[in-house]
Amino acid sequence: MPKTLYYGDNLDILRESISDESVDLIYLDPPFNSAADYNVIFREHLEQGPQAQITAFEDTWQWSESSARALDELVNVHGALAEFMDFTVRRLGHNALSAYLAMMAIRLVELHRVLKPTGSLFLHCDPTASHYLKVVLDILFVPTNFRSEIIWRRHGAHNDASRNLASVHDVILYYAKRPAATFNRLYTAHDPEYIERAYRHFDDRGRYRVQNLASPNPRPNLTYDYTALNGLTYKPHPNGWKYTPERLRNLDEEGRLHYPNKPDGRLALKNYLGEMTGPALSNLWTDIGGLSGSHAERLGYPTQKPVALLERIVEMASNPGDIVLDPFCGCGTAISAAEKFGRQWVGIDVTHLAVSLIQARLRQDFGLESGEDYALEGTPSDVESARYLFEQKEDGPYQFQFWAVGLIGAQPFGAGASGKKGKKGRDSGIDGVLYFRTPGGEKLEKVIVSVKGGKSLNPGMIRDLESVVRREKAAMGVFLTLEEPTQGMRQEAAKHGLYHHEDESYPVMQILTVADLLNGKRPAIPRGAANVSLDRKEVKTIKSDKRSKSMNPLFGKPVSESD
């Protein structure tokens, strides 16, 4: 299976495109109640908090016909799970939690199907629903294949509740398909206090601790006197030595024996810190913190997890060349970890915002391009399918906007990028942003991107974009349109002259159609674009409408310290 990024409902894609027992590792972080008050799940869904995931899964969070249909489908594919879900929904009632569990149950059936016998599944969730999900997984995988409930501490301290205990951890449920599932033991670093206490000695090889050379059990045949290379003779422990005379001499010649300071002291073995593994990884993960607004890897996506967390899972439960699947891939952290460790991967997401971010991330971090290095499925491939996307009710224009912005490798920007329905608000025509550096690297220049999907086009739209470019002190503007621009628009764009960069010149105002983009044409901008992980110092230089200097350029809103 080649590396593939899918846009669409993961249930449909799993059923139609992913074969039985074809995946080695599954990680999923379902978007239930992402970045919101966890108590909201027991009430009717309210539009509050970060909206990107809320828009994408708004129907999923409310009991609906699709929820009831999911329960009916379970009867045909897994009777025991259908019985449990029927009881649970009747007990909980038709609310957001029941809808979420129904949505998850039918998808977990498919995920179990596509997992190889040597494969494992990691389900990332919060403590509010983890106990329900564990029962679902116990039914699918059988309890004996439960490996661990991993507790990941996202924060060391968090003042998020005035009348409750602070919430500082997530749960990751770890299941194997069969007992012989792939498992690579990992080790963590020693505690600094333990190092100071135990590894108190130093020599030319480094820091070491001493280990008793006495046999743990009586060994009369090893109760010999040993004359060391320092010329002194050492008596054995009453049980005898741990090693034979030949082995002890070899250790001495290798400089691995610690001579006591006192004449009657005992000979000991040197255990060097640099040669010792740390403690085996446990199910309590406190050494990987959650992402805050100050982290350079943060893309602004509401549910983004630190890449170190996913790297640990990928390294522990898969081998090079294995296939990693993330059916709710968001901004692509699991995909990034899989690519780094030489795994194949499959990512699925239902928003063009996520797909665009992943494309940009793969392009910048690994130099990967869709169509060349991995397959991109489910996104518009011609003008008619792009028009169909734009004309969808509810969030069709926003999904079209995300798709078009991502097609040129730009960062989504503005109210639309946050998923908020309605008017653009204070972002004033900025749908995306491209960046490039001036020749000496001393300045980061911006290119403002505006997207139009409607048929009513006029030169005033180019003038509006030019006004935004001037206001933002940007270098250029790019106007992306679904329909053919008018001649007046092209004439208006030509009036604004050229931007000079080294020995090249670029139109300050550029117009590209969707047909142009699908045929491979891209905005003419200087090389060296920086489109995803901007340095934090660079982020702080980006201002818009006199907003905060800590503005996140991906989403056009202040960077949140929440995870």
Side-chain angles (χ1 to χ4, degrees):
M1 184 186 301
K3 298 172 184 177
T4 308
L5 180 59
Y6 289 95
Y7 163 75
D9 187 326
N10 53 26
L11 182 60
D12 295 335
I13 292 167
L14 287 166
R15 288 171 170 172
E16 298 169 6
S17 303
I18 313 297
S19 303
D20 294 357
E21 298 187 347
S22 61
V23 175
D24 298 279
L25 169 62
I26 297 172
Y27 168 84
L28 63 157
D29 180 17
F32 180 54
N33 198 42
S34 298
D37 179 357
Y38 287 130
N39 293 321
V40 174
I41 66 174
F42 295 106
R43 303 195 301 269
E44 289 298 315
H45 171 61
L46 302 175
E47 286 202 6
Q48 62 183 38
Q51 299 291 314
Q53 291 283 22
I54 288 176
T55 297
F57 291 91
E58 190 168 25
D59 293 336
T60 305
W61 286 12
Q62 299 179 24
W63 186 266
S64 64
E65 181 182 347
S66 62
S67 308
R69 190 181 303 115
L71 288 186
D72 290 342
E73 291 179 15
L74 280 175
V75 176
N76 298 321
V77 296
H78 204 293
L81 182 56
E83 288 185 35
F84 167 74
M85 286 301 303
D86 178 69
F87 171 80
T88 301
V89 170
R90 284 189 287 109
R91 187 69 176 173
L92 293 176
H94 291 168
N95 57 21
L97 179 59
S98 295
Y100 170 70
L101 294 173
M103 179 271 288
M104 285 301 304
I106 193 65
R107 284 161 173 78
L108 286 169
V109 169
E110 296 300 324
L111 292 172
H112 181 269
R113 173 185 63 81
V114 305
L115 196 60
K116 289 181 181 178
T118 55
S120 299
L121 177 142
F122 292 77
L123 172 53
H124 196 136
C125 50
D126 69 87
T128 309
S130 61
H131 48 299
Y132 294 105
L133 292 170
K134 187 178 186 305
V135 176
V136 171
L137 291 172
D138 279 343
I139 294 171
L140 288 172
F141 284 81
V142 306
T144 54
N145 287 324
F146 168 69
R147 285 289 179 87
S148 188
E149 180 181 65
I150 299 167
I151 302 300
W152 173 49
R153 187 181 67 180
R154 296 175 288 112
H155 306 284
H158 211 238
N159 296 324
D160 61 353
S162 59
R163 305 178 72 177
N164 201 350
L165 299 177
S167 176
V168 298
H169 83 278
D170 284 358
V171 173
I172 303 175
L173 299 174
Y174 170 23
Y175 280 78
K177 183 76 172 279
R178 299 285 186 272
T182 299
F183 176 73
N184 302 311
R185 182 167 293 282
L186 302 181
Y187 299 88
T188 58
H190 286 295
D191 181 84
E193 292 185 3
Y194 168 73
I195 293 175
E196 289 295 327
R197 183 174 66 255
Y199 289 84
R200 297 180 291 105
H201 305 280
F202 297 85
D203 65 13
D204 294 341
R205 291 186 182 182
R207 194 165 195 157
Y208 68 90
R209 65 181 177 89
V210 296
Q211 178 182 331
N212 196 332
L213 279 170
S215 172
N217 301 304
R219 302 178 71 179
N221 61 320
L222 294 181
T223 56
Y224 56 88
D225 291 348
Y226 176 72
T227 301
L229 294 180
N230 65 357
L232 300 178
T233 299
Y234 297 93
K235 297 291 184 180
H237 185 275
N239 280 353
W241 297 103
K242 188 176 183 179
Y243 301 113
T244 64
E246 294 77 17
R247 176 59 176 153
L248 205 58
R249 173 63 64 182
N250 290 336
L251 291 170
D252 201 356
E253 291 174 349
E254 293 171 5
R256 293 181 176 273
L257 295 184
H258 175 81
Y259 304 134
N261 294 326
K262 298 179 181 180
D264 58 345
R266 291 198 178 275
L267 202 59
L269 179 67
K270 297 178 180 179
N271 284 329
Y272 289 95
L273 178 61
E275 297 175 351
M276 305 298 292
T277 60
L281 183 65
S282 72
N283 63 354
L284 177 60
W285 295 3
T286 62
D287 57 331
I288 300 174
L291 297 179
S292 67
S294 62
H295 282 91
E297 71 178 87
R298 188 172 179 88
L299 304 179
Y301 203 79
T303 59
Q304 182 180 355
K305 301 301 183 292
V307 70
L309 184 72
L310 275 300
E311 289 175 354
R312 174 172 290 176
I313 291 173
V314 167
E315 188 177 13
M316 178 175 65
S318 68
N319 295 315
D322 284 354
I323 297 174
V324 178
L325 166 65
D326 185 346
F328 297 90
C329 59
C331 60
T333 304
I335 289 175
S336 179
E339 181 66 30
K340 176 180 177 179
F341 282 95
R343 276 58 164 170
Q344 301 296 312
W345 49 260
V346 175
I348 309 171
D349 204 276
V350 76
T351 71
H352 283 288
L353 169 62
V355 173
S356 297
L357 283 173
I358 294 168
Q359 287 182 272
R361 189 172 190 175
L362 291 172
R363 182 181 300 112
Q364 174 157 312
D365 293 350
F366 303 102
L368 302 183
E369 293 289 346
S370 60
E372 300 176 11
D373 304 296
Y374 63 92
L376 181 62
E377 302 289 345
T379 58
S381 58
D382 54 41
V383 174
E384 286 307 310
S385 57
R387 183 173 291 111
Y388 176 81
L389 172 63
F390 175 77
E391 292 174 351
Q392 295 306 294
K393 294 181 180 179
E394 299 295 331
D395 64 346
Y398 291 106
Q399 295 296 335
F400 172 79
Q401 172 186 311
F402 300 149
W403 169 75
V405 167
L407 205 56
I408 64 171
Q411 298 176 4
F413 195 95
S418 71
K420 183 70 175 178
K421 297 177 183 179
K423 63 182 181 179
K424 283 190 177 295
R426 65 181 183 179
D427 295 299
S428 304
I430 307 176
D431 297 324
V433 184
L434 287 162
Y435 300 91
F436 65 90
R437 287 196 174 278
T438 52
E442 69 280 356
K443 183 181 179 183
L444 190 68
E445 290 276 28
K446 287 190 294 186
V447 179
I448 303 300
V449 181
S450 178
V451 180
K452 298 296 180 184
K455 296 182 179 180
S456 300
L457 301 174
N458 59 75
M461 294 177 176
I462 304 301
R463 289 192 289 271
D464 290 341
L465 176 58
E466 192 278 334
S467 176
V468 175
V469 168
R470 282 190 288 107
R471 186 194 71 211
E472 298 295 318
K473 297 181 175 58
M476 292 180 278
V478 174
F479 188 89
L480 304 181
T481 172
L482 176 60
E483 309 297 340
E484 283 293 322
T486 66
Q487 183 62 28
M489 293 173 71
R490 295 194 182 278
Q491 292 174 347
E492 181 64 33
K495 291 179 181 179
H496 298 284
L498 302 173
Y499 174 87
H500 300 286
H501 183 275
E502 293 184 310
D503 296 329
E504 299 290 334
S505 297
Y506 305 88
V508 169
M509 302 299 294
Q510 302 177 30
I511 302 176
L512 287 89
T513 65
V514 165
D516 291 331
L517 300 180
L518 293 173
N519 287 326
K521 187 175 181 181
R522 294 295 181 265
I525 65 173
R527 295 179 180 180
N531 298 327
V532 182
S533 301
L534 295 179
D535 181 84
R536 299 305 302 178
K537 294 180 181 178
E538 296 169 355
V539 170
K540 291 180 180 179
T541 66
I542 300 169
K543 302 178 183 179
S544 179
D545 293 340
K546 298 181 180 180
R547 288 169 285 176
S548 167
K549 291 184 179 181
S550 62
M551 189 69 62
N552 188 323
L554 281 174
F555 284 83
K557 61 183 181 182
V559 174
S560 172
E561 292 298 322
S562 64
D563 179 22

